């Protein structure tokens, strides 16, 4: 099913969402990576956003529909300590995953941890692009699951990165 639009797929055991993502990035052949959950949707401006992806050492992020409302934010150091960038709106250059993997000890916020590491890495920069990339409904994994280890490490991570 859907073989006309899906080039390759794998179904195998994993240790959670971020383990599956780590496995997936080893198969990437393109220049950019974006992660969507099963019930996330790409918006019409997604195609326009692709044209803005120029620098292979820039992590581009756009806007999302968050709980049905548009969310657009240009992040800076302080704001990133308050709220993670929505993964549905981030275009990672493949180079990020040549250098980093998701840390599996963070079951819910490994993406937040990855963003903090990249934010502090002089090889990469973050750039906001003003396009509505995706929507995601209320009730995703992070909305009902606590990440006790990340919460315990939060202050240390913010100081470190």
């Amino acid at each position: 099913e859907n073989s006309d639009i899906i080039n390759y797929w794998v179904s195998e055991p994993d240790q959670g969402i971020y383990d599956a993502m780590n496995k997936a990035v080893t198969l990437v052949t393109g220049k950019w990576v974006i992660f969507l959950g099963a019930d996330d949707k790409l918006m019409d401006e997604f195609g326009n956003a692709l044209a803005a992806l120029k620098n292979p050492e820039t992590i581009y992020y756009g806007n999302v529909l968050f709980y049905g409302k548009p969310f657009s934010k240009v992040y800076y150091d302080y704001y990133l300590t308050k709220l993670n960038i929505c993964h549905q709106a981030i275009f990672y250059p493949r180079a990020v995953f040549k250098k980093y993997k998701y840390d599996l000890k963070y079951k819910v916020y490994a993406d937040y941890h990855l963003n903090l590491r990249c934010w502090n890495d002089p090889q990469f920069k973050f750039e906001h692009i003003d396009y509505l990339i995706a929507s995601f409904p209320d009730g995703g994994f992070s909305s009902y699951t606590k990440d006790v280890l990340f919460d315990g490490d939060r202050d240390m991570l913010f100081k470190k990165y």
Side-chain angles (χ1 to χ4, degrees), residues 77-95:
D77 292 352
Y78 176 76
Y79 197 78
L80 188 61
T81 67
K82 298 299 174 194
L83 184 67
N84 190 21
I85 302 169
C86 297
H87 73 82
Q88 296 90 339
I90 298 178
F91 297 91
Y92 292 102
R94 194 163 106 191

Side-chain angles (χ1 to χ4, degrees), residues 1-143:
E1 186 177 345
N2 296 317
S3 62
D4 58 325
I5 58 172
I6 298 173
N7 292 331
Y8 185 83
W9 67 275
V10 175
S11 179
E12 64 186 23
D14 57 57
Q15 297 173 32
I17 293 168
Y18 296 108
D19 185 36
M21 290 178 172
N22 280 341
K23 289 179 178 189
V25 296
T26 67
L27 303 171
V28 170
T29 58
K31 296 178 183 176
W32 303 94
V33 179
I34 186 170
F35 293 102
L36 298 175
D39 53 358
D40 298 333
K41 295 180 182 164
L42 293 174
M43 304 306 288
D44 291 340
E45 293 181 10
F46 174 79
N48 296 335
L50 294 177
L53 309 179
K54 305 280 189 212
N55 184 340
E57 293 189 338
T58 297
I59 299 165
Y60 295 94
Y61 64 97
N63 309 325
V64 294
L65 282 180
F66 186 58
Y67 296 102
K69 296 178 184 169
F71 181 81
S72 173
K73 183 70 179 174
V74 176
Y75 280 73
Y76 54 92
D77 292 352
Y78 176 76
Y79 197 78
L80 188 61
T81 67
K82 298 299 174 194
L83 184 67
N84 190 21
I85 302 169
C86 297
H87 73 82
Q88 296 90 339
I90 298 178
F91 297 91
Y92 292 102
R94 194 163 106 191
V96 166
F97 298 103
K98 297 277 186 205
K99 189 169 188 176
Y100 297 112
K101 300 289 181 236
Y102 288 108
D103 188 335
L104 301 185
K105 77 178 182 178
Y106 300 122
K107 301 294 184 196
V108 181
Y109 292 123
D111 61 329
Y112 203 164
H113 180 241
L114 175 69
N115 289 338
L116 291 170
R117 288 187 291 170
C118 291
W119 189 270
N120 192 46
D121 186 329
Q123 180 181 346
F124 302 109
K125 71 175 191 164
F126 283 74
E127 183 177 318
H128 179 258
I129 51 176
D130 196 19
Y131 295 104
L132 186 60
I133 307 300
S135 70
F136 61 98
D138 185 15
F141 181 65
S142 65
S143 66

